[in-house]
Amino acid sequence: MNLCDIRTVKNIMEAFGLRFRKEFGQNFLTNPMIVSDIADSASDTAADSILEIGPGIGTLTRELCARYSRVLALEIDRGLIPALSYTLDEFDNVTVVNEDVMKADLPALLTPYFEAGSVSVCANLPYYITTPILMKLLESELPFRYITIMIQSEVADRLTAKAGSGAYGAITAMLNYYGTAERLFTVSAGNFIPPPSVSSAVVRIKLHEQKPYQPKDPEIFRRTVKAAFEQRRKTLPNALSAGFPALSKEQCVAVVSKAGHRPDIRGERLDVAQFVALSDLIAELL
Ligand code: SAM
């Protein structure tokens, strides 16, 4: 079965009474080389189990099943479930669950997979919800080995941006706290049905086995990063003052200075280590 063949995709969609649902970000891959490259990138060991988010009609899922020990695929669109039973029929190492990843209890769903060995994530993510899904995966603190995702090219730039650059944002700092991101390759809109309005890129995140930075209070670290970027145009003391109403303006200036920065610095210049150091000083005041 060749799910990269557009006629085959259309025939399956018709047979199961399906249409491409824009509200679910349904853009299915049609280039077999790209599907194969993404599946190859998902992990460096065939022993891994793979969590796939949004299998669609199973194009990438089939390649993952062929390469890795087990696959758990979460799909929000109930209509796709019978089609997936048909397209994945030849594989006995896949489980499809009709669930919204944002509502899913990932630790519970993945317990048997982690008990069996290591787990990586691989997905062509729905673009309307890329950042929340990535943050949910990271903040779950589940020990995934790799997270390999196809996302908008612009978001890929943000994930791999250097501190101080225009693309650097809260998501970059948070991602660097959990792991390191590598941009693997760019994928143009013509490789999907229907084509999305933006170009895409595949990014692979290697999660830290031991986090190199240990904030005194991880929640205050998160709030510090959030505050710094929510008021991006403001100086860091002003941004902190908006994000931490319990601190006075003077305390915010003092804490930034104590962390070794000028009072007119903007948050976007700080890397993750500097955010951790700053948040430790804030934690002492709260
Ligand atoms: N994996 C397929 C491929 O590469 O051809 C389809 C990828 S398509 C970009 C995104 C998929 O995610 C769709 O099947 C969509 O229905 C599903 N999806 C969207 N939102 C979701 C959510 N919150 N939870 C689980 N799946 C979701």
Side-chain angles (χ1 to χ4, degrees):
M1 187 183 303
N2 178 7
L3 295 181
C4 285
D5 175 57
I6 293 177
R7 187 175 295 274
T8 304
V9 176
K10 286 191 170 159
N11 286 343
I12 293 173
M13 299 285 283
E14 200 179 306
F16 286 90
L18 300 167
R19 62 182 173 83
F20 294 103
R21 297 187 61 173
K22 213 174 166 190
E23 71 274 28
F24 289 148
Q26 291 181 353
N27 304 98
F28 298 168
L29 276 162
T30 55
N31 183 331
M33 307 277 279
I34 290 169
V35 178
S36 174
D37 284 350
I38 297 172
D40 282 343
S41 309
S43 179
D44 46 19
T45 163
D48 261 17
S49 295
I50 304 289
L51 168 65
E52 187 191 9
I53 296 154
I57 58 163
T59 318
L60 176 60
T61 324
R62 287 171 58 87
E63 297 299 314
L64 294 169
C65 290
R67 285 168 177 75
Y68 301 100
S69 71
R70 289 206 287 170
V71 177
L72 171 67
L74 302 187
E75 173 55 59
I76 196 172
D77 183 356
R78 187 154 41 106
L80 285 168
I81 305 301
L84 283 162
S85 299
Y86 168 69
T87 59
L88 301 174
D89 185 49
E90 71 205 67
F91 297 99
D92 59 9
N93 61 340
V94 60
T95 303
V96 176
V97 177
N98 176 208
E99 198 155 342
D100 175 347
V101 66
M102 294 309 295
K103 296 188 182 146
D105 181 350
L106 293 180
L109 280 168
L110 288 165
T111 298
Y113 296 87
F114 279 108
E115 280 172 1
S118 53
V119 181
S120 292
V121 179
C122 185
N124 168 14
L125 285 181
Y127 292 173
Y128 74 102
I129 195 177
T130 308
T131 305
I133 293 178
L134 180 57
M135 285 315 295
K136 173 161 181 170
L137 291 171
L138 296 173
E139 290 182 349
S140 73
E141 302 269 352
L142 288 166
F144 298 117
R145 268 162 55 74
Y146 292 100
I147 299 177
T148 304
I149 43 178
M150 172 126 74
I151 52 183
Q152 304 92 309
S153 192
E154 190 198 325
V155 180
D157 290 342
R158 300 218 300 127
L159 295 185
T160 51
K162 296 265 172 291
S165 68
Y168 186 73
I171 182 86
T172 328
M174 289 310 294
L175 178 103
N176 292 340
Y177 171 60
Y178 289 105
T180 50
E182 175 193 5
R183 186 184 175 115
L184 299 183
F185 49 90
T186 302
V187 181
S188 63
N191 293 292
F192 301 84
I193 177 173
S197 51
V198 291
S199 72
S200 308
V202 177
V203 167
R204 182 169 57 191
I205 299 161
K206 171 92 183 83
L207 294 181
H208 300 309
E209 280 168 35
Q210 295 289 330
K211 287 199 198 79
Y213 316 105
Q214 304 286 347
K216 283 187 186 137
D217 184 331
E219 189 46 40
I220 290 182
F221 163 68
R222 266 184 218 108
R223 278 180 63 194
T224 305
V225 173
K226 195 164 167 256
F229 288 98
E230 244 168 26
Q231 311 277 332
R232 209 183 164 112
R233 280 160 205 275
K234 290 194 176 175
T235 64
L236 184 56
N238 283 343
L240 292 178
S241 160
F244 291 94
L247 298 183
S248 68
K249 278 245 160 77
E250 294 68 35
Q251 281 179 306
C252 292
V253 172
V255 98
V256 167
S257 150
K258 201 169 169 193
H261 309 293
R262 291 167 42 148
D264 60 351
I265 195 169
R266 290 180 207 285
E268 67 205 28
R269 303 215 67 87
L270 271 60
D271 64 20
V272 61
Q274 292 169 315
F275 272 119
V276 170
L278 179 65
S279 76
D280 283 352
L281 294 169
I282 293 173
E284 283 171 16
L285 298 174
L286 292 173

